[in-house]
């Protein structure tokens, strides 16, 4: 029988950032990965402290940005890689009104650190009214992040590549097959709907598509361009463009309407030829109040959930992993805005 402090079920941002908290604190654990293509693993990796439709920010934006940089520096110490890509977002303005709104908002106390007052004219793409740079924005090397952490866990024999079978969980004995555990954490995204212990949590699937394209004229800099969706380079030949938001078409197939939406969106500001090479989609677990769902099962006190990260999975997953760890290990109460109990 193998004895561990934690079993983690799931392999997205919530799972891996919580695993990092356990590594930092010398806790033993295993991660169960079904190796399906999750929303986390096909995400854009955008690190953005600003809501770019309204030029507003969100709860704890600065704290989340700072904590993510600190965490990625810590992860670098054992993976040998820092997965932060310094490629700021440039938001293309639609008209002069947006320019003036940006300047007005940039004087607000909670936005002046983020909204650069000096506008930029971008080459190659159409931006008649210039663009605004989001300071402190960046990208995560998504592929590198998951590959690096999975390789690290595999070497330590902490990654189990198989589907977690709920019926094999012995709650009374705190065992799962040949593993004895103290705590078990479910970080399953939309797969939580099949979980008999947490299937009732109010997460709503939001389907997102993105495309990988070849551009006939390359962008001169490694920036992230935003107009409707995000465009940025992912290797020497391909660019990422996406992603869409859809709460209606939830089948597990590519939606041609979403692909058309992306194609038309790119044509609006990229006036050159391009070809669509790949199409991908995933289901983000979103919550009505735009806050994660974190907490303990009301009957089984060694059983926890970490879900509902939404479109800000990197920032939410990183920042609130510490809140969850402190809640379990140090008995520090969760903030009421993220606590599971707000729905019960």
């Amino acid at each position: 029988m193998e004895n561990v402090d934690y079993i983690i079920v799931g392999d997205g941002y919530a799972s891996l950032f919580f695993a990092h908290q356990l590594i930092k604190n010398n806790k033993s654990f295993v991660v169960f990965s079904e190796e399906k293509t999750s929303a986390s693993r096909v995400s854009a990796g955008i690190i953005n402290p600003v809501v770019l439709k309204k030029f507003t920010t969100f709860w704890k934006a600065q704290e989340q940005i700072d904590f993510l940089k600190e965490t990625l520096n810590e992860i670098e110490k054992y993976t040998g890689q820092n997965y932060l890509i310094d490629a700021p977002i440039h938001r293309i303005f639609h008209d002069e009104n947006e320019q003036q709104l940006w300047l007005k908002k940039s004087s607000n106390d909670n936005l002046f650190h983020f909204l650069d007052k000096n506008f930029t004219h971008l080459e190659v793409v159409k931006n008649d009214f210039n663009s605004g740079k989001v300071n402190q924005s960046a990208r995560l090397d998504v592929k590198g992040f998951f590959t690096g952490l999975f390789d690290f866990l595999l070497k330590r024999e902490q990654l189990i590549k198989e589907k977690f079978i709920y019926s094999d969980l012995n709650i009374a004995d705190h065992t799962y097959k040949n593993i004895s555990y103290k705590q078990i954490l479910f970080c399953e995204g939309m797969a939580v709907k099949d979980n008999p212990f947490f299937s009732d949590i109010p997460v709503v699937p939001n389907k997102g598509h993105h495309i990988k394209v070849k551009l006939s004229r390359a962008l001169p800099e490694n920036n992230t361009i935003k107009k409707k969706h995000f465009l940025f380079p992912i290797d020497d030949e391909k660019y990422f463009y996406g992603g869409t938001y859809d709460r209606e078409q939830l089948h597990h197939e590519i939606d041609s309407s979403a692909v058309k939406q992306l194609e038309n969106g790119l044509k609006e500001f990229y006036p050159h030829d391009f070809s669509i090479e790949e199409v991908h989609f995933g289901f983000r677990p979103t919550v009505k109040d735009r806050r994660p769902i974190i907490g303990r099962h009301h009957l089984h006190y060694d059983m926890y959930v970490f879900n509902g990260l939404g479109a800000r999975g990197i920032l939410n997953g990183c920042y609130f992993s510490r809140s969850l760890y402190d809640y379990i290990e140090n008995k520090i109460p969760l903030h009421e805005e993220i606590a599971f109990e707000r729905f019960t």
Side-chain angles (χ1 to χ4, degrees), residues 31-302:
V31 173
F32 278 84
S33 169
E34 197 175 342
E35 295 192 286
K36 286 188 174 181
T37 304
S38 66
S40 293
R41 295 172 74 172
V42 298
S43 65
I46 301 296
I47 300 164
N48 176 25
V50 178
V51 180
L52 290 171
K53 186 175 183 180
K54 302 178 180 178
F55 307 151
T56 57
T57 189
F58 51 87
W59 186 49
K60 295 184 178 294
Q62 186 65 66
E63 293 96 321
Q64 291 192 41
I65 291 283
D66 292 342
F67 189 68
L68 176 65
K69 291 177 180 178
E70 176 186 328
T71 299
L72 291 176
N73 285 334
E74 293 169 349
I75 291 173
E76 182 181 9
K77 292 177 182 177
Y78 56 82
T79 65
Q81 298 290 327
N82 192 305
Y83 305 107
L84 188 66
I85 300 172
D86 183 15
I89 297 169
H90 289 265
R91 166 60 153 83
I92 293 177
F93 296 122
H94 292 81
D95 50 39
E96 291 182 359
N97 290 333
E98 282 197 338
Q99 287 182 332
Q100 295 307 309
L101 179 60
W102 179 284
L103 288 174
K104 180 181 178 180
K105 291 289 187 74
S106 67
S107 298
N108 291 357
D109 288 345
N110 60 346
L111 282 165
F112 77 91
H113 289 299
F114 303 136
L115 301 183
D116 198 311
K117 293 184 178 182
N118 298 310
F119 296 156
T120 304
H121 186 78
L122 302 171
E123 300 298 326
V124 179
V125 298
K126 184 179 179 182
N127 55 130
D128 296 341
F129 299 95
N130 297 325
S131 69
K133 185 175 77 168
V134 181
N135 294 325
Q136 300 191 58
S137 61
R139 295 198 309 268
L140 183 75
D141 175 4
V142 175
K143 182 178 179 181
F145 176 80
F146 282 101
T147 300
L149 282 168
F150 286 160
D151 286 348
F152 177 77
L153 295 178
L154 272 173
K155 290 175 183 176
R156 289 165 49 119
E157 298 183 341
Q158 291 177 300
L159 183 64
I160 300 174
K161 294 183 176 182
E162 63 182 58
K163 181 180 176 63
F164 187 88
I165 308 299
Y166 304 109
S167 58
D168 287 340
L169 183 64
N170 189 321
I171 298 171
D173 291 341
H174 296 78
T175 59
Y176 177 78
K177 296 184 177 179
N178 65 332
I179 302 172
S180 174
Y181 65 90
K182 294 179 181 176
Q183 320 284 353
I184 184 166
L185 172 64
F186 294 100
C187 308
E188 303 164 287
M190 286 314 308
V192 75
K193 289 303 181 182
D194 297 322
N195 185 319
F197 308 104
F198 291 107
S199 60
D200 59 342
I201 66 171
V203 290
V204 178
N206 187 315
K207 189 175 184 179
H209 285 73
H210 73 260
I211 55 178
K212 292 183 180 180
V213 298
K214 281 188 178 181
L215 304 182
S216 59
R217 286 193 61 187
L219 304 182
E221 296 183 65
N222 183 21
N223 292 322
T224 302
I225 299 174
K226 173 70 161 72
K227 187 178 183 184
K228 288 191 176 178
H229 309 290
F230 292 101
L231 175 69
F232 57 84
I234 49 179
D235 56 37
D236 293 337
E237 293 188 345
K238 293 179 184 177
Y239 289 75
F240 179 109
Y241 185 63
T244 61
Y245 293 84
D246 192 342
R247 291 186 173 88
E248 303 299 327
Q249 301 295 325
L250 301 179
H251 52 78
H252 288 260
E253 297 175 2
I254 292 171
D255 295 320
S256 59
S257 60
V259 178
K260 193 65 178 178
Q261 177 187 337
L262 291 169
E263 184 178 7
N264 291 337
L266 184 53
K267 285 179 178 178
E268 280 190 21
F269 68 96
Y270 185 78
H272 315 287
D273 292 336
F274 64 88
S275 60
I276 298 175
E277 303 295 311
E278 300 176 34
V279 180
H280 299 275
F281 67 87
F283 294 90
R284 311 175 188 93
T286 63
V287 185
K288 186 176 181 180
D289 62 6
R290 299 178 184 270
R291 300 283 190 269
I293 298 176
I294 303 173
R296 183 175 62 190
H297 195 276
H298 65 289
L299 294 178
H300 309 300
Y301 285 6
D302 59 348

Side-chain angles (χ1 to χ4, degrees), residues 14-28:
S15 169
L16 293 188
F17 280 121
F18 188 78
H20 171 67
Q21 293 297 320
L22 300 182
I23 292 167
K24 275 180 63 177
N25 291 279
N26 297 313
K27 299 293 183 180
S28 58

